[in-house]
Amino acid sequence: MMTREEALYRFALRMGDNALVLSHRLSQWCGHGPVLEEDMAQTNIALDLIGQARNYLTYAGELEGKGRDEDDLAYLRTDREYTNVQLVELPNGDYAFTIARSFLFDAFHLPLLKAMASGKDERLKAIAEKAVKEVTYHLRHSSEWLVRFGDGTDESHRRAQAALDELWRFTGELFEADEAEQALAKDGTIPALADLRKEWNATVDRVLGEATLKRPDDGHMAHGGKRGVHTEHLGHMLAEMQVLQRAHPGAEW
Amino acid sequence: MKTVAEIEALLAEVKDPEIPVISLRELGVLRDIQVEDGRVEVTITPTYTGCPAMDVMRLGVEKALRKAGVGNFRVRQVLSPAWTTDWISEEGKQKLLAYGIAPPPHSSDVRTLTGKGPAIACPQCGSSDTVLVSHFGSTACKALYKCNTCKEPFDLFKCH
Ligand SMILES: [Zn+2]
């Protein structure tokens, strides 16, 4: 049986890892966006997410009580110690893939934050209350672009559908609660993840409908990210993200 | 020993580094000033979670206090209640406009959150024939607009 502190630590770490990994992926578009406005949009969203990650990881470090701060947790853990869902670590692909990946995550992230904002832990509440406003814009952005691609040209439609088909098997893990998430849902600190599926389904069906895209069938679902089992892509991403702190521990500028 | 009013007056000089015409008070970032037994406590709140200007704002507060000879102080950052554009003062909104940034619509106008908001007037020529170019502008707090009348692009301080 896990203590409440430990469950909170694991959950704060999970939220931080999801935000940090997606933030890093989106930041990889910096200087490479398809148009200038999108370059700025993705970097702005990445900035929101890194701000959220800092809040969660700082909190996680305090809960753990071993003196680790946000930077230690971000830069000095291996991929096996990262607990983000696999969905957010997948490489950017083409722009349709990036948008579809964000959309599937944002549609989950927003109702989760809304529920957390009325949860029982003051610190998580405060972080979520603020993040809700930011993620509202993220979901609006990814939804609008998915509609533009789906209901656009034959080529953009084809690519958006291919992205959804490829990403679908990574969506199951979003709603699978681990031991910490189950414990926190029981006492009302966070929502039961399975309960978020209804709103996620409604958002996905509404936007895909508008985008004239087909909702993929539920088949085999990938999972493991939450217990540190990742795709081969996360290690590569972290190698790049962490290289400076690994080579020069504690470096500042 | 300084009073709350004196601290407030000296902090009026601390501006948003990204919009240097508006003070932290006018922006709604400066939440509270307490003076107790000679110790000053200043409470600030971030606009956006990842706003990189926050560290500069905090430094600005610390610098202004030290410059005025206040040594015993603490700058505290709180997240809750979450900052909203409704906290930007009327004076602050006028300054934004004069600076060329359209001030934010009120957040209770739900339409602004769904993208079907009221027309945004061009800060250059006043025309309401304007169009949203991108929800994400040059900084986290701004959206990019374009005026169809004077053809100038401009920033909107977006509703939050
Ligand atoms: Zn104009």
Side-chain angles (χ1 to χ4, degrees):
Chain A
M1 188 64 196
M2 178 180 299
T3 65
R4 182 176 157 76
E5 289 268 287
E6 199 184 336
L8 278 171
Y9 162 69
R10 288 223 224 158
F11 182 71
L13 198 62
R14 158 93 21 81
M15 293 298 289
D17 288 350
N18 281 342
L20 177 60
V21 171
L22 184 57
S23 170
H24 194 76
R25 281 295 183 210
L26 296 180
S27 76
Q28 291 172 334
W29 278 106
C30 184
H32 302 273
V35 289
L36 185 59
E37 288 78 9
E38 280 310 287
D39 200 293
M40 283 161 62
Q42 296 297 2
T43 42
N44 267 296
I45 293 168
L47 196 60
D48 287 340
L49 291 170
I50 202 145
Q52 294 167 20
R54 291 182 63 181
N55 286 336
Y56 289 121
L57 294 182
T58 296
Y59 188 32
E62 289 169 23
L63 288 160
E64 188 194 35
K66 291 182 183 165
R68 292 204 281 185
D69 67 8
E70 49 177 305
D71 290 330
D72 296 326
L73 289 170
Y75 294 118
L76 302 176
R77 276 182 305 146
T78 66
D79 59 337
R80 289 303 303 262
E81 294 166 297
Y82 264 75
T83 63
N84 57 281
V85 292
Q86 292 180 357
L87 176 67
V88 296
E89 75 201 34
L90 300 172
N92 288 336
D94 61 17
Y95 207 61
F97 191 88
T98 288
I99 289 291
R101 184 190 59 197
S102 282
F103 170 70
L104 295 170
F105 183 72
D106 298 343
F108 161 82
H109 199 194
L110 186 59
L112 169 60
L113 290 169
K114 280 184 179 166
M116 280 168 60
S118 55
K120 275 200 181 129
D121 184 75
E122 288 306 320
R123 191 78 169 265
L124 288 177
K125 255 173 80 165
I127 299 171
E129 189 193 342
K130 191 136 192 72
V132 159
K133 299 186 180 208
E134 293 153 3
V135 174
T136 300
Y137 279 105
H138 302 177
L139 178 59
R140 194 162 108 188
H141 176 260
S142 57
S143 300
E144 285 176 2
W145 273 94
L146 198 58
V147 170
R148 196 175 297 194
F149 284 144
D151 196 20
T153 64
D154 288 346
E155 178 68 4
S156 69
H157 178 93
R158 184 186 66 74
R159 289 191 186 213
Q161 188 63 58
L164 281 177
D165 293 345
E166 170 73 21
L167 286 160
W168 198 253
R169 67 196 164 95
F170 293 98
T171 59
E173 191 180 19
L174 294 169
F175 306 97
E176 281 173 16
D178 70 1
E179 200 189 332
E181 287 161 337
Q182 285 170 23
L184 294 175
K186 219 169 263 173
D187 73 9
T189 303
I190 66 166
L193 298 188
D195 291 350
L196 300 174
R197 210 180 245 288
K198 205 174 145 201
E199 188 171 337
W200 186 82
N201 277 332
T203 306
V204 166
D205 290 342
R206 176 175 55 76
V207 173
L208 294 195
E210 211 182 316
T212 71
L213 291 164
K214 187 178 162 291
R215 181 183 168 120
D217 295 327
D218 287 342
H220 168 75
M221 288 289 173
H223 51 99
K226 291 190 173 188
R227 52 189 161 84
V229 179
H230 294 281
T231 65
E232 74 265 35
H233 308 295
L234 183 66
H236 292 285
M237 194 201 92
L238 292 181
E240 192 180 88
M241 190 183 96
Q242 298 178 331
V243 65
L244 197 124
Q245 285 298 328
R246 297 277 191 191
H248 306 280
E252 280 183 45
W253 66 85
Chain B
M1 202 171 93
K2 301 242 184 292
T3 65
V4 170
E6 283 166 338
I7 301 285
E8 197 175 334
L10 74 93
L11 291 185
E13 295 309 308
V14 186
K15 312 286 191 203
D16 178 343
E18 285 171 343
I19 314 169
V21 292
I22 186 168
S23 73
L24 302 196
R25 163 71 80 196
E26 288 160 338
L27 190 59
V29 159
L30 180 59
R31 300 313 302 158
D32 192 34
I33 299 167
Q34 299 278 339
V35 180
E36 219 180 294
D37 300 330
R39 181 185 159 85
V40 177
E41 185 171 277
V42 176
T43 305
I44 56 174
T45 191
T47 50
Y48 278 68
T49 306
C51 179
M54 273 319 285
D55 291 337
V56 183
M57 293 190 204
R58 171 192 284 265
L59 280 175
V61 170
E62 293 176 357
K63 223 170 116 187
L65 290 172
R66 279 200 202 97
K67 202 174 141 200
V70 181
N72 188 8
F73 66 83
R74 184 166 91 106
V75 183
R76 198 167 70 99
Q77 189 174 315
V78 295
L79 290 181
S80 180
W83 178 84
T84 154
T85 39
D86 298 343
W87 291 351
I88 301 178
S89 68
E90 275 314 309
E91 209 188 344
K93 286 180 185 167
Q94 288 311 313
K95 286 183 181 174
L96 286 176
L97 193 60
Y99 191 62
I101 299 172
H106 198 275
S107 68
S108 63
D109 193 335
V110 200
R111 293 174 303 164
T112 56
L113 288 173
T114 56
K116 297 177 183 70
I120 303 296
C122 168
Q124 312 293 347
C125 74
S127 166
S128 54
D129 183 11
T130 60
V131 56
L132 173 72
V133 177
S134 174
H135 292 308
F136 299 91
S138 55
T139 64
C141 55
K142 294 186 217 115
L144 188 61
Y145 271 72
K146 172 175 86 176
C147 174
N148 287 330
T149 304
C150 72
K151 312 290 183 201
E152 289 288 329
F154 66 90
D155 280 330
L156 163 75
F157 204 111
K158 68 187 179 197
C159 176
H160 204 59

